[in-house]
Amino acid sequence: MSLYEAELVVDRRESAADGVLALTLRHPLGEELPAWEPGAHIDVVLGPGLERQYSLCGDPADRTAWRIAVLREPAGRGGSAHVHQELGQGDKVGVRGPRNHFALEPAPRYRFVAGGIGITPILPMLAQAESRGAEWSLLYGGRSRNSMAFTEELSRYGDRVTVAPQDETGLLDLASVLDDVPEGTLVYCCGPGPLLDAVEERCPAGLLHVERFAPKEQETGENTGFEVELAQSGRTVTVAPDVSVLDAVRAAGVEVLFSCTEGTCGTCETDVLEGAPDHRDSVLTDEEREAGETMMICVSRCRGKRLVLDL
């Protein structure tokens, strides 16, 4: 299925917290934007070679606008600096998507944990959980209260939301929300890697859904070479031990969508027709990895000698 691609206009810029800028994007001709569900993100093309993924954090029922929030990262790769310093109201940006590897599955109860800018995909999930009549709570941490985005919006939920700035309360009390989780509860977490790792240690895998902004450290075996047959293109390419599937495919002249090249954004997800992928991404669930129906070709490899991909 082809993804929506367009140039949207920055309709509004507003501070969501210290160092966090919220942008509202609209179609220049007022056209409706594609529907999306909480947990979805879009690719934002800021310039040549400058493409980033941001979670949609507005109202899914509003088809006239998409809202994203961008954390200013001084040690980043330039995307956040461009947004904060150069992208003004009325400017146009390319977008592609939305995609969703973090959808809110139906459940009678939820426990949400967010750290810093990780609140962005969680925010619309709360409204969806509310509309479903589910029981839920949110534990939201950050460096300081002023750095935590959307706290005013969250205040309408009362004591179901616990805002816990580290400079006031220390590290998040994960035991208070993750120990003795009632049956039927799903846990959703987004934030920095150490927080996600800590939550994963406490929470059974079947209950937990996470979204990572940076790749998870993984133990991998030694890279070996293998062949990849491209079913649509009628070509077979050899993937050397020091080359990714993505680079090998592109070197063969086959154009594919990609972005992060780290296995976190899901842009390069490709259907696997034959063979066993060696999954090294930070997107797929354990069940999806076991099924082996898709792979992120920017980082994942082959557990055998041959793959057949739908490219």
Short mmCIF file of all heavy atoms in Angstrom, two decimals, residues 59-127:
data_model
loop_
_atom_site.label_atom_id
_atom_site.label_comp_id
_atom_site.label_asym_id
_atom_site.label_seq_id
_atom_site.Cartn_x
_atom_site.Cartn_y
_atom_site.Cartn_z
N ASP A 59 -5.33 15.41 17.82
CA ASP A 59 -6.62 14.73 17.91
C ASP A 59 -6.85 13.93 16.63
O ASP A 59 -6.99 14.52 15.55
CB ASP A 59 -7.73 15.76 18.09
CG ASP A 59 -9.12 15.14 18.16
OD1 ASP A 59 -9.23 13.90 18.14
OD2 ASP A 59 -10.09 15.92 18.23
N PRO A 60 -6.92 12.59 16.70
CA PRO A 60 -7.14 11.81 15.47
C PRO A 60 -8.44 12.15 14.75
O PRO A 60 -8.55 11.91 13.55
CB PRO A 60 -7.16 10.36 15.99
CG PRO A 60 -6.40 10.39 17.27
CD PRO A 60 -6.72 11.73 17.87
N ALA A 61 -9.41 12.69 15.47
CA ALA A 61 -10.69 13.04 14.84
C ALA A 61 -10.59 14.29 13.98
O ALA A 61 -11.46 14.55 13.13
CB ALA A 61 -11.77 13.23 15.91
N ASP A 62 -9.55 15.08 14.16
CA ASP A 62 -9.36 16.31 13.39
C ASP A 62 -8.58 16.00 12.13
O ASP A 62 -7.36 15.87 12.15
CB ASP A 62 -8.61 17.35 14.24
CG ASP A 62 -8.44 18.67 13.52
OD1 ASP A 62 -8.92 18.81 12.37
OD2 ASP A 62 -7.81 19.59 14.09
N ARG A 63 -9.29 15.86 11.02
CA ARG A 63 -8.66 15.51 9.75
C ARG A 63 -8.05 16.73 9.04
O ARG A 63 -7.50 16.61 7.96
CB ARG A 63 -9.68 14.83 8.83
CG ARG A 63 -10.26 13.53 9.36
CD ARG A 63 -9.25 12.39 9.25
NE ARG A 63 -8.88 12.15 7.88
CZ ARG A 63 -9.58 11.38 7.03
NH1 ARG A 63 -10.70 10.79 7.46
NH2 ARG A 63 -9.18 11.19 5.78
N THR A 64 -8.16 17.91 9.65
CA THR A 64 -7.64 19.12 9.01
C THR A 64 -6.20 19.42 9.41
O THR A 64 -5.56 20.28 8.79
CB THR A 64 -8.49 20.35 9.36
OG1 THR A 64 -8.33 20.67 10.75
CG2 THR A 64 -9.96 20.09 9.07
N ALA A 65 -5.69 18.77 10.45
CA ALA A 65 -4.36 19.13 10.94
C ALA A 65 -3.67 17.94 11.59
O ALA A 65 -4.32 17.05 12.14
CB ALA A 65 -4.47 20.27 11.96
N TRP A 66 -2.35 17.94 11.50
CA TRP A 66 -1.50 17.00 12.24
C TRP A 66 -0.63 17.82 13.19
O TRP A 66 -0.05 18.84 12.79
CB TRP A 66 -0.59 16.23 11.30
CG TRP A 66 -1.28 15.10 10.58
CD1 TRP A 66 -2.50 14.56 10.86
CD2 TRP A 66 -0.77 14.39 9.45
NE1 TRP A 66 -2.77 13.54 9.99
CE2 TRP A 66 -1.74 13.41 9.11
CE3 TRP A 66 0.41 14.48 8.69
CZ2 TRP A 66 -1.56 12.52 8.05
CZ3 TRP A 66 0.59 13.59 7.64
CH2 TRP A 66 -0.38 12.62 7.33
N ARG A 67 -0.52 17.37 14.43
CA ARG A 67 0.35 18.03 15.39
C ARG A 67 1.50 17.11 15.76
O ARG A 67 1.31 15.93 16.01
CB ARG A 67 -0.41 18.44 16.66
CG ARG A 67 0.47 19.23 17.64
CD ARG A 67 -0.30 19.71 18.86
NE ARG A 67 -0.70 18.61 19.74
CZ ARG A 67 -1.18 18.78 20.97
NH1 ARG A 67 -1.34 20.01 21.45
NH2 ARG A 67 -1.52 17.75 21.71
N ILE A 68 2.70 17.69 15.78
CA ILE A 68 3.89 16.98 16.24
C ILE A 68 4.59 17.86 17.28
O ILE A 68 4.30 19.05 17.39
CB ILE A 68 4.87 16.66 15.09
CG1 ILE A 68 5.34 17.95 14.40
CG2 ILE A 68 4.23 15.71 14.08
CD1 ILE A 68 6.42 17.74 13.34
N ALA A 69 5.47 17.27 18.05
CA ALA A 69 6.26 18.03 19.02
C ALA A 69 7.72 17.61 18.89
O ALA A 69 8.02 16.41 18.80
CB ALA A 69 5.77 17.81 20.44
N VAL A 70 8.60 18.58 18.88
CA VAL A 70 10.01 18.32 18.61
C VAL A 70 10.87 18.82 19.77
O VAL A 70 10.82 20.00 20.13
CB VAL A 70 10.45 19.02 17.30
CG1 VAL A 70 11.92 18.71 17.00
CG2 VAL A 70 9.56 18.57 16.13
N LEU A 71 11.64 17.91 20.34
CA LEU A 71 12.57 18.25 21.42
C LEU A 71 13.85 18.81 20.82
O LEU A 71 14.44 18.22 19.91
CB LEU A 71 12.87 17.00 22.24
CG LEU A 71 13.98 17.12 23.29
CD1 LEU A 71 13.58 18.07 24.41
CD2 LEU A 71 14.33 15.74 23.85
N ARG A 72 14.30 19.94 21.34
CA ARG A 72 15.59 20.50 20.92
C ARG A 72 16.71 19.67 21.52
O ARG A 72 16.83 19.54 22.73
CB ARG A 72 15.71 21.95 21.41
CG ARG A 72 17.05 22.62 21.05
CD ARG A 72 17.14 22.90 19.57
NE ARG A 72 18.24 23.79 19.26
CZ ARG A 72 19.46 23.36 18.88
NH1 ARG A 72 19.73 22.08 18.81
NH2 ARG A 72 20.40 24.23 18.59
N GLU A 73 17.51 19.04 20.65
CA GLU A 73 18.60 18.17 21.07
C GLU A 73 19.93 18.75 20.61
O GLU A 73 20.31 18.58 19.44
CB GLU A 73 18.41 16.76 20.51
CG GLU A 73 17.14 16.08 20.99
CD GLU A 73 17.00 14.67 20.47
OE1 GLU A 73 17.52 13.76 21.13
OE2 GLU A 73 16.39 14.50 19.40
N PRO A 74 20.64 19.45 21.50
CA PRO A 74 21.90 20.08 21.09
C PRO A 74 22.92 19.11 20.53
O PRO A 74 23.72 19.47 19.66
CB PRO A 74 22.40 20.71 22.40
CG PRO A 74 21.18 20.90 23.23
CD PRO A 74 20.28 19.75 22.89
N ALA A 75 22.89 17.86 21.00
CA ALA A 75 23.85 16.86 20.52
C ALA A 75 23.27 15.99 19.42
O ALA A 75 23.82 14.94 19.10
CB ALA A 75 24.31 15.98 21.69
N GLY A 76 22.15 16.42 18.83
CA GLY A 76 21.51 15.64 17.78
C GLY A 76 22.21 15.77 16.44
O GLY A 76 23.28 16.36 16.32
N ARG A 77 21.53 15.24 15.42
CA ARG A 77 22.13 15.20 14.07
C ARG A 77 21.65 16.35 13.18
O ARG A 77 21.88 16.34 11.99
CB ARG A 77 21.82 13.87 13.41
CG ARG A 77 22.42 12.67 14.12
CD ARG A 77 21.99 11.37 13.45
NE ARG A 77 20.54 11.17 13.56
CZ ARG A 77 19.83 10.40 12.74
NH1 ARG A 77 20.42 9.78 11.74
NH2 ARG A 77 18.53 10.26 12.92
N GLY A 78 20.98 17.33 13.76
CA GLY A 78 20.61 18.52 13.00
C GLY A 78 19.13 18.70 12.73
O GLY A 78 18.71 19.79 12.36
N GLY A 79 18.34 17.65 12.91
CA GLY A 79 16.92 17.76 12.62
C GLY A 79 16.20 18.68 13.58
O GLY A 79 15.46 19.58 13.16
N SER A 80 16.41 18.49 14.87
CA SER A 80 15.70 19.32 15.85
C SER A 80 16.17 20.77 15.79
O SER A 80 15.39 21.70 15.96
CB SER A 80 15.89 18.76 17.26
OG SER A 80 17.23 18.89 17.71
N ALA A 81 17.46 20.98 15.53
CA ALA A 81 17.98 22.34 15.41
C ALA A 81 17.32 23.05 14.23
O ALA A 81 16.96 24.24 14.32
CB ALA A 81 19.49 22.32 15.24
N HIS A 82 17.14 22.33 13.13
CA HIS A 82 16.50 22.92 11.96
C HIS A 82 15.07 23.33 12.29
O HIS A 82 14.62 24.44 11.94
CB HIS A 82 16.51 21.92 10.80
CG HIS A 82 15.88 22.43 9.55
ND1 HIS A 82 16.59 23.06 8.55
CD2 HIS A 82 14.57 22.43 9.13
CE1 HIS A 82 15.77 23.41 7.58
NE2 HIS A 82 14.55 23.04 7.90
N VAL A 83 14.33 22.45 12.96
CA VAL A 83 12.94 22.76 13.31
C VAL A 83 12.87 23.97 14.22
O VAL A 83 12.08 24.89 14.01
CB VAL A 83 12.27 21.54 13.97
CG1 VAL A 83 10.91 21.92 14.55
CG2 VAL A 83 12.13 20.40 12.98
N HIS A 84 13.70 24.00 15.25
CA HIS A 84 13.62 25.07 16.25
C HIS A 84 14.14 26.40 15.72
O HIS A 84 13.61 27.46 16.09
CB HIS A 84 14.41 24.66 17.50
CG HIS A 84 13.65 23.76 18.42
ND1 HIS A 84 13.15 24.18 19.64
CD2 HIS A 84 13.28 22.47 18.30
CE1 HIS A 84 12.52 23.18 20.22
NE2 HIS A 84 12.58 22.12 19.43
N GLN A 85 15.14 26.36 14.87
CA GLN A 85 15.81 27.60 14.48
C GLN A 85 15.39 28.12 13.11
O GLN A 85 15.46 29.33 12.85
CB GLN A 85 17.33 27.40 14.49
CG GLN A 85 17.89 27.06 15.87
CD GLN A 85 19.37 26.70 15.81
OE1 GLN A 85 20.02 26.83 14.77
NE2 GLN A 85 19.90 26.22 16.92
N GLU A 86 14.96 27.24 12.21
CA GLU A 86 14.77 27.65 10.82
C GLU A 86 13.36 27.46 10.29
O GLU A 86 12.97 28.09 9.31
CB GLU A 86 15.76 26.91 9.91
CG GLU A 86 17.22 27.17 10.26
CD GLU A 86 18.17 26.46 9.32
OE1 GLU A 86 17.86 26.42 8.11
OE2 GLU A 86 19.19 25.93 9.79
N LEU A 87 12.58 26.57 10.90
CA LEU A 87 11.26 26.27 10.36
C LEU A 87 10.23 27.21 10.97
O LEU A 87 9.94 27.14 12.16
CB LEU A 87 10.90 24.81 10.67
CG LEU A 87 9.69 24.23 9.93
CD1 LEU A 87 9.91 24.28 8.42
CD2 LEU A 87 9.44 22.80 10.38
N GLY A 88 9.71 28.12 10.15
CA GLY A 88 8.80 29.14 10.66
C GLY A 88 7.36 28.92 10.23
O GLY A 88 7.06 28.09 9.36
N GLN A 89 6.47 29.68 10.82
CA GLN A 89 5.06 29.62 10.45
C GLN A 89 4.92 30.01 8.99
O GLN A 89 5.50 30.98 8.51
CB GLN A 89 4.25 30.57 11.33
CG GLN A 89 2.75 30.45 11.13
CD GLN A 89 1.98 31.14 12.25
OE1 GLN A 89 2.48 31.27 13.36
NE2 GLN A 89 0.78 31.58 11.94
N GLY A 90 4.14 29.22 8.25
CA GLY A 90 3.96 29.45 6.82
C GLY A 90 4.92 28.68 5.94
O GLY A 90 4.71 28.58 4.73
N ASP A 91 5.99 28.13 6.53
CA ASP A 91 6.92 27.32 5.75
C ASP A 91 6.30 25.98 5.41
O ASP A 91 5.40 25.49 6.10
CB ASP A 91 8.22 27.08 6.55
CG ASP A 91 9.08 28.33 6.64
OD1 ASP A 91 8.82 29.28 5.88
OD2 ASP A 91 10.00 28.36 7.49
N LYS A 92 6.79 25.37 4.34
CA LYS A 92 6.31 24.07 3.91
C LYS A 92 7.33 22.98 4.23
O LYS A 92 8.53 23.21 4.15
CB LYS A 92 6.00 24.07 2.40
CG LYS A 92 4.81 24.93 2.02
CD LYS A 92 4.52 24.81 0.53
CE LYS A 92 3.29 25.63 0.14
NZ LYS A 92 2.99 25.50 -1.30
N VAL A 93 6.82 21.81 4.57
CA VAL A 93 7.68 20.64 4.79
C VAL A 93 7.05 19.44 4.09
O VAL A 93 5.82 19.33 4.01
CB VAL A 93 7.87 20.32 6.29
CG1 VAL A 93 8.69 21.39 6.97
CG2 VAL A 93 6.54 20.14 6.98
N GLY A 94 7.88 18.56 3.60
CA GLY A 94 7.39 17.32 3.03
C GLY A 94 7.04 16.34 4.13
O GLY A 94 7.72 16.28 5.16
N VAL A 95 5.97 15.60 3.95
CA VAL A 95 5.59 14.58 4.92
C VAL A 95 5.27 13.29 4.19
O VAL A 95 4.90 13.28 3.00
CB VAL A 95 4.37 15.00 5.77
CG1 VAL A 95 4.66 16.27 6.55
CG2 VAL A 95 3.13 15.16 4.91
N ARG A 96 5.40 12.20 4.92
CA ARG A 96 5.05 10.88 4.38
C ARG A 96 4.51 10.04 5.53
O ARG A 96 5.04 10.06 6.64
CB ARG A 96 6.28 10.22 3.77
CG ARG A 96 6.01 8.88 3.11
CD ARG A 96 7.22 8.42 2.29
NE ARG A 96 8.40 8.30 3.11
CZ ARG A 96 9.56 8.92 2.88
NH1 ARG A 96 9.66 9.73 1.85
NH2 ARG A 96 10.59 8.74 3.68
N GLY A 97 3.44 9.32 5.27
CA GLY A 97 2.88 8.47 6.32
C GLY A 97 1.37 8.61 6.34
O GLY A 97 0.76 9.01 5.35
N PRO A 98 0.76 8.33 7.51
CA PRO A 98 1.38 7.88 8.75
C PRO A 98 1.62 6.37 8.78
O PRO A 98 1.01 5.62 8.03
CB PRO A 98 0.33 8.28 9.80
CG PRO A 98 -0.97 8.22 9.06
CD PRO A 98 -0.67 8.61 7.64
N ARG A 99 2.53 5.96 9.68
CA ARG A 99 2.79 4.56 9.97
C ARG A 99 2.51 4.33 11.45
O ARG A 99 2.62 5.24 12.25
CB ARG A 99 4.26 4.19 9.71
CG ARG A 99 4.70 4.27 8.27
CD ARG A 99 6.13 3.78 8.16
NE ARG A 99 6.64 3.88 6.82
CZ ARG A 99 7.15 4.98 6.29
NH1 ARG A 99 7.24 6.07 7.04
NH2 ARG A 99 7.59 5.00 5.06
N ASN A 100 2.23 3.08 11.79
CA ASN A 100 1.95 2.80 13.20
C ASN A 100 2.44 1.41 13.60
O ASN A 100 1.88 0.40 13.18
CB ASN A 100 0.45 2.93 13.49
CG ASN A 100 0.16 3.12 14.97
OD1 ASN A 100 0.99 2.82 15.82
ND2 ASN A 100 -1.02 3.63 15.28
N HIS A 101 3.50 1.38 14.38
CA HIS A 101 3.99 0.14 14.98
C HIS A 101 3.76 0.15 16.50
O HIS A 101 4.35 -0.65 17.23
CB HIS A 101 5.49 -0.04 14.71
CG HIS A 101 5.80 -0.38 13.28
ND1 HIS A 101 5.68 -1.65 12.77
CD2 HIS A 101 6.21 0.39 12.25
CE1 HIS A 101 6.00 -1.65 11.49
NE2 HIS A 101 6.33 -0.42 11.14
N PHE A 102 2.91 1.06 16.95
CA PHE A 102 2.73 1.27 18.40
C PHE A 102 1.25 1.48 18.70
O PHE A 102 0.89 2.28 19.55
CB PHE A 102 3.56 2.48 18.82
CG PHE A 102 3.78 2.65 20.30
CD1 PHE A 102 4.11 1.58 21.11
CD2 PHE A 102 3.66 3.91 20.88
CE1 PHE A 102 4.33 1.76 22.47
CE2 PHE A 102 3.88 4.09 22.24
CZ PHE A 102 4.20 3.01 23.03
N ALA A 103 0.40 0.75 17.99
CA ALA A 103 -1.04 0.97 18.12
C ALA A 103 -1.55 0.49 19.48
O ALA A 103 -0.99 -0.44 20.08
CB ALA A 103 -1.77 0.23 17.00
N LEU A 104 -2.59 1.14 19.94
CA LEU A 104 -3.20 0.81 21.23
C LEU A 104 -4.18 -0.35 21.03
O LEU A 104 -5.26 -0.19 20.48
CB LEU A 104 -3.93 2.02 21.81
CG LEU A 104 -4.43 1.88 23.24
CD1 LEU A 104 -3.27 1.77 24.22
CD2 LEU A 104 -5.34 3.05 23.61
N GLU A 105 -3.80 -1.52 21.52
CA GLU A 105 -4.65 -2.70 21.39
C GLU A 105 -5.78 -2.64 22.42
O GLU A 105 -5.61 -2.08 23.51
CB GLU A 105 -3.83 -3.97 21.60
CG GLU A 105 -2.77 -4.18 20.54
CD GLU A 105 -2.01 -5.49 20.74
OE1 GLU A 105 -2.38 -6.25 21.67
OE2 GLU A 105 -1.07 -5.76 19.97
N PRO A 106 -6.94 -3.21 22.10
CA PRO A 106 -8.06 -3.19 23.05
C PRO A 106 -7.71 -3.93 24.34
O PRO A 106 -7.09 -5.00 24.31
CB PRO A 106 -9.17 -3.92 22.29
CG PRO A 106 -8.81 -3.78 20.84
CD PRO A 106 -7.32 -3.80 20.80
N ALA A 107 -8.08 -3.36 25.45
CA ALA A 107 -7.85 -3.98 26.76
C ALA A 107 -8.77 -3.30 27.77
O ALA A 107 -9.15 -2.14 27.59
CB ALA A 107 -6.39 -3.84 27.20
N PRO A 108 -9.11 -3.99 28.86
CA PRO A 108 -9.95 -3.35 29.88
C PRO A 108 -9.18 -2.37 30.75
O PRO A 108 -9.77 -1.48 31.35
CB PRO A 108 -10.46 -4.54 30.71
CG PRO A 108 -9.42 -5.60 30.52
CD PRO A 108 -8.90 -5.42 29.13
N ARG A 109 -7.84 -2.54 30.81
CA ARG A 109 -7.02 -1.69 31.67
C ARG A 109 -5.68 -1.41 30.99
O ARG A 109 -5.13 -2.27 30.29
CB ARG A 109 -6.75 -2.36 33.03
CG ARG A 109 -7.93 -2.36 33.97
CD ARG A 109 -7.65 -3.20 35.21
NE ARG A 109 -7.50 -4.61 34.84
CZ ARG A 109 -8.55 -5.43 34.67
NH1 ARG A 109 -9.78 -4.98 34.84
NH2 ARG A 109 -8.37 -6.69 34.34
N TYR A 110 -5.15 -0.21 31.25
CA TYR A 110 -3.84 0.16 30.72
C TYR A 110 -3.00 0.81 31.82
O TYR A 110 -3.54 1.52 32.69
CB TYR A 110 -3.97 1.17 29.58
CG TYR A 110 -4.75 0.70 28.38
CD1 TYR A 110 -6.10 1.05 28.23
CD2 TYR A 110 -4.16 -0.07 27.39
CE1 TYR A 110 -6.83 0.64 27.13
CE2 TYR A 110 -4.88 -0.49 26.28
CZ TYR A 110 -6.22 -0.14 26.16
OH TYR A 110 -6.94 -0.55 25.07
N ARG A 111 -1.71 0.60 31.76
CA ARG A 111 -0.74 1.38 32.53
C ARG A 111 0.19 2.04 31.51
O ARG A 111 0.84 1.35 30.71
CB ARG A 111 0.08 0.46 33.46
CG ARG A 111 -0.77 -0.31 34.47
CD ARG A 111 -1.16 0.55 35.65
NE ARG A 111 -2.08 -0.13 36.56
CZ ARG A 111 -1.71 -0.90 37.56
NH1 ARG A 111 -0.42 -1.12 37.80
NH2 ARG A 111 -2.60 -1.47 38.34
N PHE A 112 0.23 3.36 31.53
CA PHE A 112 1.08 4.11 30.62
C PHE A 112 2.27 4.67 31.39
O PHE A 112 2.11 5.19 32.50
CB PHE A 112 0.31 5.26 29.97
CG PHE A 112 -0.85 4.82 29.12
CD1 PHE A 112 -2.16 4.91 29.59
CD2 PHE A 112 -0.64 4.34 27.84
CE1 PHE A 112 -3.23 4.52 28.81
CE2 PHE A 112 -1.70 3.94 27.04
CZ PHE A 112 -3.00 4.03 27.53
N VAL A 113 3.46 4.59 30.77
CA VAL A 113 4.67 5.17 31.34
C VAL A 113 5.35 5.98 30.24
O VAL A 113 5.61 5.45 29.14
CB VAL A 113 5.64 4.10 31.88
CG1 VAL A 113 6.88 4.75 32.48
CG2 VAL A 113 4.95 3.20 32.90
N ALA A 114 5.61 7.26 30.51
CA ALA A 114 6.24 8.12 29.51
C ALA A 114 7.41 8.85 30.14
O ALA A 114 7.35 9.26 31.30
CB ALA A 114 5.24 9.13 28.95
N GLY A 115 8.47 9.01 29.36
CA GLY A 115 9.63 9.77 29.80
C GLY A 115 9.96 10.86 28.80
O GLY A 115 10.17 10.58 27.62
N GLY A 116 9.96 12.11 29.25
CA GLY A 116 10.33 13.23 28.38
C GLY A 116 9.44 13.33 27.15
O GLY A 116 8.22 13.26 27.23
N ILE A 117 10.07 13.46 25.98
CA ILE A 117 9.33 13.62 24.73
C ILE A 117 8.55 12.35 24.38
O ILE A 117 7.69 12.37 23.48
CB ILE A 117 10.29 14.03 23.59
CG1 ILE A 117 9.52 14.64 22.40
CG2 ILE A 117 11.15 12.85 23.16
CD1 ILE A 117 8.80 15.91 22.73
N GLY A 118 8.79 11.28 25.11
CA GLY A 118 8.02 10.05 24.93
C GLY A 118 6.55 10.20 25.26
O GLY A 118 5.75 9.30 25.01
N ILE A 119 6.14 11.35 25.78
CA ILE A 119 4.72 11.60 26.04
C ILE A 119 3.95 11.75 24.73
O ILE A 119 2.71 11.56 24.71
CB ILE A 119 4.54 12.87 26.91
CG1 ILE A 119 3.08 13.00 27.41
CG2 ILE A 119 4.97 14.11 26.16
CD1 ILE A 119 2.61 11.89 28.28
N THR A 120 4.62 12.07 23.63
CA THR A 120 3.90 12.43 22.40
C THR A 120 3.02 11.30 21.86
O THR A 120 1.85 11.55 21.57
CB THR A 120 4.86 12.95 21.31
OG1 THR A 120 5.94 12.04 21.13
CG2 THR A 120 5.39 14.31 21.69
N PRO A 121 3.49 10.06 21.70
CA PRO A 121 2.57 9.03 21.22
C PRO A 121 1.56 8.60 22.27
O PRO A 121 0.48 8.10 21.94
CB PRO A 121 3.50 7.87 20.83
CG PRO A 121 4.68 8.03 21.71
CD PRO A 121 4.86 9.52 21.86
N ILE A 122 1.91 8.79 23.56
CA ILE A 122 1.03 8.38 24.64
C ILE A 122 -0.18 9.30 24.77
O ILE A 122 -1.29 8.87 25.08
CB ILE A 122 1.80 8.34 25.98
CG1 ILE A 122 2.97 7.34 25.91
CG2 ILE A 122 0.88 8.04 27.14
CD1 ILE A 122 2.56 5.90 25.78
N LEU A 123 0.02 10.59 24.49
CA LEU A 123 -1.03 11.58 24.72
C LEU A 123 -2.36 11.22 24.04
O LEU A 123 -3.41 11.19 24.71
CB LEU A 123 -0.54 12.96 24.26
CG LEU A 123 -1.35 14.18 24.70
CD1 LEU A 123 -1.38 14.30 26.22
CD2 LEU A 123 -0.77 15.45 24.08
N PRO A 124 -2.38 10.93 22.73
CA PRO A 124 -3.67 10.56 22.13
C PRO A 124 -4.17 9.19 22.58
O PRO A 124 -5.37 8.91 22.46
CB PRO A 124 -3.39 10.59 20.62
CG PRO A 124 -1.92 10.45 20.49
CD PRO A 124 -1.33 11.07 21.71
N MET A 125 -3.27 8.34 23.09
CA MET A 125 -3.71 7.04 23.61
C MET A 125 -4.61 7.21 24.82
O MET A 125 -5.54 6.43 25.03
CB MET A 125 -2.51 6.18 23.98
CG MET A 125 -1.71 5.66 22.82
SD MET A 125 -0.39 4.56 23.37
CE MET A 125 0.35 4.11 21.79
N LEU A 126 -4.33 8.21 25.63
CA LEU A 126 -5.13 8.43 26.83
C LEU A 126 -6.58 8.75 26.45
O LEU A 126 -7.52 8.22 27.05
CB LEU A 126 -4.55 9.57 27.66
CG LEU A 126 -3.08 9.45 28.06
CD1 LEU A 126 -2.67 10.64 28.92
CD2 LEU A 126 -2.80 8.14 28.77
N ALA A 127 -6.74 9.60 25.45
CA ALA A 127 -8.09 9.95 25.01
C ALA A 127 -8.80 8.73 24.43
O ALA A 127 -10.02 8.55 24.64
CB ALA A 127 -8.03 11.08 23.98
#
